[in-house]
Amino acid sequence: MRIDKMLANLGYGSRKDVKKLLKDGAVLVNDEKIKDPKHHVNPETDTVTLNGEVIEYKEFIYLMMNKPPGVISATEDSQDQTVIDLLEMEDQVFEPFPVGRLDKDTEGLLLLTNDGQLAHRLLSPKKHVPKTYFAVIDGEVTAGDIEAFKKGVTLDDGYLTKPGELVILKSGLRSDIELTITEGKFHQVKRMFQAVGKRVVYLKRISMGSLVLDDSLDLGEYRELTEEELEGLIEH
Ligand code: URA
């Protein structure tokens, strides 16, 4: 790969910016100053430094975001801010996309990656990847609802859901619950509660497969997955 392409891909500026860095002598390949933008490097085996710092080349990026409400889980939107708009330029250059969707008003765990294969596997209905949500419900959630969700409930379009595991954290006029489902129909959690005559007033995803939302991330913040987190997802 050309050195200018590698550096530009990694977000160190446009090809023009990168050309200037090279001209200024900021880039070493295996300890040798390289000024020619056409110089070829092997990102696997060559050691490239920029201003003395070793550059890690990577093809894929894996980010965990605590999605804030009011933002769309898409790469582009004509009206609203998207989750991609919340990323730093140096991460946007990898062209990540959200793995699955959360509603505009839903918060919590969102995985963003440019690894299409991993995304496909996590979203495949055949894989039954469990997703757990915390929700506040307007109304009293009961043991009857636990039973109903265990059997699957019929949504407004006649679809019978797969079993969901409902845990009541607090029951009252407003109830706090956790619900784990293994599929991802449009507005699924909201519609499952609608099916038992109740309304979701707050919804947050807390896990997806082995990946658990890092509670040190404020709304709108994100970080790269750790090695262990990534391995957990790949092994699923
Ligand atoms: N279920 C919903 O109703 N909304 C979401 O955003 C995710 C799951």
Side-chain angles (χ1 to χ4, degrees):
M1 171 182 297
R2 280 173 58 143
I3 183 76
D4 59 346
K5 179 156 192 252
M6 173 180 166
L7 292 169
N9 281 358
L10 287 170
Y12 292 101
S14 63
R15 286 272 184 110
K16 199 168 148 218
D17 299 331
V18 166
K19 211 168 164 182
K20 181 157 188 324
L21 288 173
L22 289 158
K23 195 162 157 245
D24 292 346
V27 180
L28 304 187
V29 178
N30 303 327
D31 291 329
E32 191 190 333
K33 201 172 281 177
I34 298 297
K35 296 198 168 187
D36 179 6
K38 293 204 278 289
H39 183 89
H40 271 79
V41 287
N42 179 344
E44 301 288 328
T45 52
D46 290 326
T47 304
V48 180
T49 64
L50 173 65
N51 293 321
E53 296 225 9
V54 175
I55 308 279
E56 291 296 347
Y57 187 74
K58 55 184 176 186
E59 185 180 3
F60 295 127
I61 191 167
Y62 304 91
L63 305 169
M64 167 195 297
M65 177 183 282
N66 184 2
K67 179 194 168 295
V71 172
I72 308 281
S73 310
T75 50
E76 277 174 43
D77 193 89
S78 55
Q79 283 171 7
D80 290 298
Q81 203 182 27
T82 72
V83 288
I84 302 300
D85 296 329
L86 301 178
L87 303 180
E88 302 281 344
M89 227 29 227
E90 64 190 52
D91 298 312
Q92 286 194 21
V93 293
F94 286 92
E95 301 183 341
F97 54 86
V99 178
R101 279 174 177 247
L102 292 177
D103 296 336
K104 185 174 172 183
D105 61 353
T106 302
E107 299 178 7
L109 178 65
L110 189 65
L111 174 65
L112 297 130
T113 185
N114 55 352
D115 182 344
Q117 260 190 341
L118 179 75
H120 184 75
R121 266 193 284 132
L122 288 171
L123 295 175
S124 162
K126 284 188 223 119
K127 299 273 177 186
H128 308 292
V129 174
K131 283 155 285 219
T132 301
Y133 295 85
F134 168 81
V136 179
I137 309 299
D138 185 17
E140 189 179 349
V141 179
T142 63
D145 297 327
I146 296 179
E147 285 310 309
F149 282 9
K150 205 181 268 174
K151 291 196 194 107
V153 290
T154 304
L155 302 183
D156 46 9
D157 58 359
Y159 176 77
L160 174 65
T161 68
K162 298 233 155 47
E165 191 188 331
L166 177 60
V167 176
I168 301 173
L169 303 174
K170 194 187 92 189
S171 181
L173 286 177
R174 280 205 161 191
S175 308
D176 293 350
I177 63 92
E178 275 181 17
L179 176 61
T180 302
I181 54 177
T182 57
E183 45 186 358
K185 300 282 170 217
F186 185 60
H187 295 330
Q188 181 153 350
V189 175
K190 292 172 184 164
R191 289 162 73 214
M192 284 177 78
F193 277 97
Q194 195 185 31
V196 294
K198 281 151 215 182
R199 195 165 63 91
V200 172
V201 291
Y202 172 82
L203 187 60
K204 175 184 186 176
R205 181 155 65 193
I206 50 181
S207 71
M208 181 175 182
S210 56
L211 193 63
V212 179
L213 179 65
D214 178 342
D215 60 14
S216 74
L217 291 174
D218 285 335
L219 287 171
E221 286 188 339
Y222 71 95
R223 65 159 170 79
E224 285 200 51
L225 297 195
T226 63
E227 290 281 325
E228 295 80 62
E229 286 168 337
L230 182 57
E231 272 162 27
L233 285 183
I234 288 169
E235 278 162 17
H236 184 84

